[in-house]
Coordinates of all heavy atoms in Angstrom, one line a residue:
L70 N 131.3 269.5 15.1 CA 132.1 269.4 13.8 C 133.3 268.5 14.1 O 133.6 267.5 13.3 CB 132.6 270.8 13.4 CG 133.6 270.7 12.2 CD1 132.8 270.2 11.0 CD2 134.1 272.2 11.9
R71 N 133.9 268.6 15.2 CA 135.1 267.7 15.6 C 134.7 266.3 15.5 O 135.4 265.4 14.9 CB 135.5 268.2 17.0 CG 137.0 267.9 17.2 CD 137.5 268.5 18.5 NE 137.7 269.9 18.5 CZ 137.2 270.7 19.3 NH1 136.3 270.4 20.2 NH2 137.5 272.1 19.2
E72 N 133.5 266.0 16.1 CA 133.1 264.5 16.1 C 132.7 264.1 14.7 O 133.0 262.8 14.4 CB 131.8 264.4 17.0 CG 132.2 264.4 18.5 CD 133.1 263.3 18.9 OE1 132.8 262.2 18.5 OE2 134.1 263.6 19.5
I73 N 132.2 264.9 13.9 CA 131.8 264.5 12.6 C 133.0 264.2 11.7 O 133.0 263.4 10.9 CB 130.7 265.4 12.0 CG1 129.5 265.5 12.8 CG2 130.5 265.2 10.5 CD1 128.9 264.0 13.0
V74 N 134.0 265.1 11.8 CA 135.3 264.9 11.0 C 135.9 263.6 11.5 O 136.3 262.8 10.6 CB 136.3 266.1 11.3 CG1 137.5 265.8 10.5 CG2 135.6 267.4 10.7
K75 N 135.9 263.4 12.8 CA 136.5 262.1 13.3 C 135.8 260.9 12.7 O 136.4 260.0 12.2 CB 136.3 262.1 14.9 CG 137.1 261.1 15.6 CD 137.2 261.5 17.1 CE 137.9 260.3 17.9 NZ 136.8 259.6 18.6
S77 N 134.0 260.8 10.0 CA 134.3 260.6 8.6 C 135.5 260.1 8.2 O 135.6 259.3 7.3 CB 134.2 262.2 8.0 OG 133.0 262.8 8.3
V78 N 136.6 260.3 9.0 CA 137.9 259.7 8.9 C 137.8 258.2 9.2 O 138.2 257.3 8.4 CB 138.9 260.3 9.8 CG1 140.2 259.4 9.9 CG2 139.2 261.8 9.5
L85 N 134.4 265.6 2.7 CA 133.4 266.2 3.5 C 133.4 267.7 3.3 O 134.6 268.4 3.4 CB 133.9 265.8 5.1 CG 133.0 266.6 6.1 CD1 131.5 265.9 6.1 CD2 133.5 266.4 7.5
L109 N 137.2 279.9 14.3 CA 137.9 279.2 13.2 C 139.4 279.1 13.4 O 140.0 278.1 13.3 CB 137.6 280.0 11.9 CG 138.4 279.6 10.7 CD1 138.0 278.3 10.1 CD2 138.4 280.7 9.6
E111 N 141.0 279.3 16.2 CA 141.2 278.4 17.5 C 141.0 276.9 16.9 O 141.9 276.1 17.3 CB 140.3 278.7 18.5 CG 140.4 277.9 19.8 CD 139.2 278.2 20.9 OE1 138.8 279.3 20.9 OE2 138.8 277.2 21.5
Y112 N 140.0 276.7 16.2 CA 139.8 275.3 15.7 C 141.0 274.8 14.8 O 141.6 273.7 15.1 CB 138.5 275.2 14.9 CG 138.4 273.9 14.2 CD1 137.8 272.8 14.9 CD2 138.7 273.7 12.8 CE1 137.7 271.5 14.3 CE2 138.5 272.5 12.2 CZ 138.1 271.4 12.9 OH 137.9 270.2 12.3
L113 N 141.4 275.6 13.9 CA 142.5 275.2 13.0 C 143.9 275.0 13.8 O 144.5 274.0 13.6 CB 142.7 276.2 11.9 CG 141.6 276.3 10.8 CD1 141.8 277.4 9.8 CD2 141.4 274.9 10.1
N114 N 144.2 276.0 14.7 CA 145.4 275.9 15.4 C 145.4 274.7 16.3 O 146.4 274.0 16.5 CB 145.6 277.2 16.2 CG 146.1 278.4 15.3 OD1 146.6 278.1 14.2 ND2 145.8 279.5 15.6
K115 N 144.3 274.4 17.0 CA 144.2 273.3 18.0 C 144.1 272.0 17.2 O 144.8 271.0 17.7 CB 143.0 273.4 18.8 CG 143.1 274.2 20.1 CD 141.9 273.9 21.0 CE 141.9 274.7 22.2 NZ 140.6 274.7 22.8
E116 N 143.5 271.9 16.1 CA 143.2 270.6 15.4 C 144.1 270.2 14.5 O 144.2 269.0 14.1 CB 141.8 270.6 14.8 CG 140.7 270.7 15.8 CD 140.5 269.6 16.8 OE1 140.4 268.4 16.3 OE2 140.3 269.9 18.0
I117 N 145.1 271.1 14.0 CA 145.9 270.9 12.7 C 146.7 269.6 13.0 O 146.8 268.8 12.1 CB 146.7 272.0 12.3 CG1 147.2 271.8 11.0 CG2 147.7 272.4 13.3 CD1 146.3 271.6 9.8
D118 N 147.3 269.4 14.2 CA 148.2 268.3 14.4 C 147.4 266.9 14.2 O 147.8 266.0 13.5 CB 148.8 268.3 15.8 CG 149.9 269.3 15.9 OD1 150.4 269.8 14.8 OD2 150.3 269.7 17.0
K119 N 146.2 266.9 14.9 CA 145.4 265.7 14.9 C 144.8 265.5 13.4 O 144.8 264.4 12.9 CB 144.1 265.9 15.9 CG 143.8 264.6 16.5 CD 142.4 264.7 17.2 CE 142.5 265.7 18.4 NZ 141.2 266.0 18.9
L120 N 144.5 266.5 12.8 CA 143.9 266.4 11.4 C 145.1 265.8 10.5 O 144.9 264.9 9.6 CB 143.5 267.7 10.8 CG 142.2 268.2 11.5 CD1 141.9 269.7 11.1 CD2 141.0 267.4 11.1
C121 N 146.3 266.3 10.7 CA 147.4 265.8 9.8 C 147.7 264.4 10.2 O 148.0 263.5 9.3 CB 148.6 266.7 10.0 SG 148.4 268.3 9.1
A122 N 147.7 264.0 11.5 CA 148.0 262.7 12.0 C 146.9 261.7 11.4 O 147.2 260.6 11.1 CB 147.9 262.6 13.5
N123 N 145.8 262.2 11.0 CA 144.7 261.4 10.4 C 144.6 261.5 8.9 O 143.7 261.1 8.3 CB 143.3 261.8 11.0 CG 143.3 261.1 12.4 OD1 143.2 259.9 12.5 ND2 143.2 262.0 13.5
N124 N 145.7 262.2 8.3 CA 145.8 262.2 6.9 C 144.8 263.1 6.2 O 144.4 262.9 5.1 CB 145.8 260.8 6.4 CG 146.6 260.8 5.0 OD1 147.3 261.7 4.6 ND2 146.3 259.7 4.3
V125 N 144.2 264.1 7.0 CA 143.1 264.9 6.4 C 143.7 266.1 5.7 O 144.7 266.7 6.2 CB 142.2 265.5 7.6 CG1 141.1 266.4 7.0 CG2 141.6 264.3 8.3
R126 N 143.2 266.4 4.5 CA 143.6 267.6 3.7 C 142.6 268.6 3.8 O 141.5 268.4 3.5 CB 143.9 267.2 2.3 CG 144.4 268.4 1.5 CD 145.2 268.0 0.3 NE 144.3 267.5 -0.8 CZ 143.7 268.2 -1.7 NH1 143.9 269.5 -1.7 NH2 143.0 267.6 -2.6
I127 N 143.0 269.8 4.4 CA 142.1 270.9 4.5 C 142.1 271.7 3.3 O 143.1 272.2 2.7 CB 142.4 271.7 5.7 CG1 142.4 270.9 7.0 CG2 141.5 272.9 5.9 CD1 143.0 271.5 8.2
H128 N 140.8 271.9 2.7 CA 140.7 272.6 1.5 C 139.7 273.7 1.6 O 138.4 273.5 1.5 CB 140.3 271.7 0.3 CG 140.1 272.4 -1.0 ND1 138.8 272.4 -1.5 CD2 140.9 272.9 -1.8 CE1 138.9 273.0 -2.7 NE2 140.2 273.4 -2.8
M146 N 148.1 278.5 7.0 CA 148.9 277.4 7.8 C 148.2 276.1 7.6 O 148.9 275.1 7.3 CB 148.8 277.9 9.2 CG 149.5 276.9 10.2 SD 148.4 275.5 10.7 CE 147.1 276.3 11.6
A147 N 146.9 276.0 7.7 CA 146.2 274.7 7.6 C 146.4 274.1 6.2 O 146.6 272.9 6.0 CB 144.7 274.8 7.9
I148 N 146.4 275.0 5.1 CA 146.5 274.5 3.8 C 147.9 274.0 3.6 O 148.2 272.8 3.2 CB 146.3 275.6 2.7 CG1 144.8 276.1 2.8 CG2 146.6 275.1 1.3 CD1 144.5 277.3 1.9
R150 N 150.2 273.0 5.9 CA 150.5 271.8 6.6 C 149.8 270.5 6.2 O 150.4 269.4 6.4 CB 150.1 272.0 8.1 CG 150.8 273.1 8.9 CD 151.9 272.6 9.8 NE 151.8 271.3 10.4 CZ 151.4 271.1 11.7 NH1 151.1 272.2 12.4 NH2 151.2 269.9 12.2
S151 N 148.6 270.7 5.6 CA 147.9 269.5 5.2 C 147.9 269.1 3.7 O 147.2 268.2 3.3 CB 146.4 269.6 5.7 OG 145.7 270.6 4.9
N154 N 148.5 265.6 2.4 CA 147.8 264.5 3.0 C 146.8 263.9 1.9 O 146.4 264.6 1.0 CB 147.0 265.0 4.2 CG 147.8 265.4 5.3 OD1 149.0 265.1 5.3 ND2 147.3 266.1 6.2
S155 N 146.7 262.6 2.0 CA 145.9 261.9 0.9 C 144.6 261.3 1.4 O 144.0 260.5 0.7 CB 146.9 260.9 0.3 OG 147.3 259.9 1.4
G156 N 144.2 261.5 2.6 CA 143.0 260.9 3.1 C 141.8 261.8 2.9 O 141.7 262.4 1.8
L157 N 141.0 262.0 3.9 CA 139.7 262.8 3.7 C 140.1 264.2 3.3 O 140.9 264.8 3.8 CB 139.0 262.9 5.1 CG 137.8 263.8 5.1 CD1 136.6 263.1 4.5 CD2 137.5 264.1 6.6
V158 N 139.3 264.6 2.2 CA 139.5 266.0 1.8 C 138.4 266.7 2.5 O 137.1 266.5 2.4 CB 139.3 266.1 0.3 CG1 139.3 267.6 -0.1 CG2 140.3 265.4 -0.5
F159 N 138.9 267.7 3.3 CA 137.9 268.4 4.2 C 137.7 269.9 3.6 O 138.6 270.8 3.9 CB 138.6 268.4 5.6 CG 137.7 269.1 6.7 CD1 136.3 269.2 6.6 CD2 138.3 269.6 7.8 CE1 135.6 269.9 7.6 CE2 137.6 270.3 8.8 CZ 136.2 270.4 8.7
V161 N 136.3 273.3 3.7 CA 135.6 274.2 4.6 C 135.2 275.5 3.8 O 136.0 276.2 3.4 CB 136.6 274.6 5.8 CG1 135.9 275.5 6.8 CG2 137.2 273.3 6.4

Side-chain angles (χ1 to χ4, degrees):
L70 176 61
R71 208 174 276 123
E72 280 305 306
I73 293 310
V74 174
K75 190 161 172 259
S77 303
V78 169
L85 174 70
L109 170 73
E111 186 183 320
Y112 172 80
L113 291 174
N114 287 332
K115 266 195 187 164
E116 295 294 310
I117 191 67
D118 286 343
K119 213 188 301 164
L120 290 167
C121 284
N123 283 293
N124 204 15
V125 175
R126 182 156 72 86
I127 298 165
H128 178 247
M146 172 281 294
I148 298 173
R150 294 263 326 260
S151 68
N154 295 344
S155 56
L157 176 73
V158 175
F159 181 25
V161 184

